[in-house]
Amino acid sequence: MKTILGLTIVSFFVSLSTAASVSIPVRNTWVEICGNQYLLSTDKATWPQAKSNCELFGGYLAQINGVIENNCLLEYGTLRHFWHSGNDRTTEGVYRFADGTMIPWTPRWFISDNNVHYPVGEDYDCLTIIFTEDRNAGTWADRACNTEHVYICEKDGL
């Protein structure tokens, strides 16, 4: 134990060594955010895997229907890119949700440090929302669907 500025700090280290690799499943839980139910994953997956995972969890890859929902999610996210259901997999530049319906609004797009504006085009057909604490907070980016990111699931009803 150490005492620093009147606080007692207890520190310890646990060391485990095993011959086999152990995979511990990550527990994802549904939370109410701004009147809807969401699951912000802690595991990474490709966009198609994320879509399947959300369905296994009883929901769907989040459909962000407007700036209010976008900003509500922004208040709860951690600093990273999250997959949502937006994509232009069928027709380049025509953005739809995973269920095929058109995205009914125009989000702000991510701008990189070298001033590249997203979306960037071919082979970048799946969308992320970016949770940061800078000018790109809440922006969307077009990413390759086979890259792994955390993801947001949504389900109807409370």
Side-chain angles (χ1 to χ4, degrees):
M1 281 196 291
K2 292 183 181 180
T3 301
I4 301 173
L5 299 173
L7 299 173
T8 302
I9 310 285
V10 177
S11 64
F12 61 92
F13 296 91
V14 176
S15 174
L16 298 175
S17 72
T18 64
S21 168
V22 177
S23 176
I24 299 171
V26 176
R27 182 180 171 101
N28 292 307
T29 57
W30 291 95
V31 294
E32 183 181 339
I33 300 173
C34 300
N36 293 319
Q37 285 195 33
Y38 298 95
L39 183 151
L40 282 72
S41 79
T42 53
D43 60 309
K44 291 184 175 184
T46 65
W47 190 90
Q49 290 168 335
K51 182 178 177 295
S52 294
N53 289 352
C54 289
E55 291 166 2
L56 288 172
F57 295 143
Y60 49 90
L61 207 48
Q63 294 185 347
I64 303 173
N65 290 305
V67 70
I68 293 171
E69 184 176 8
N70 195 81
N71 291 346
C72 268
L73 289 168
L74 183 59
E75 289 183 353
Y76 291 89
T78 55
L79 303 175
R80 45 176 76 177
H81 287 249
F82 280 81
W83 287 128
H84 58 84
S85 77
N87 70 88
D88 64 347
R89 297 176 80 183
T90 304
T91 305
E92 186 63 34
V94 178
Y95 295 97
R96 299 177 182 274
F97 293 124
D99 68 2
T101 59
M102 301 288 278
I103 295 177
W105 66 293
T106 303
R108 287 185 324 115
W109 291 100
F110 173 79
I111 301 172
S112 69
D113 290 337
N114 58 358
N115 212 29
V116 173
H117 290 62
Y118 285 79
V120 296
E122 290 182 37
D123 298 327
Y124 288 79
D125 293 327
C126 296
L127 301 180
T128 61
I129 182 173
I130 302 165
F131 296 147
T132 61
E133 294 178 350
D134 61 15
R135 69 180 179 171
N136 285 309
T139 59
W140 289 16
D142 212 359
R143 310 295 257 174
C145 300
N146 63 354
T147 58
E148 292 189 342
H149 295 288
V150 289
Y151 50 94
I152 306 170
C153 302
E154 183 176 2
K155 69 178 173 180
D156 299 325
L158 290 175

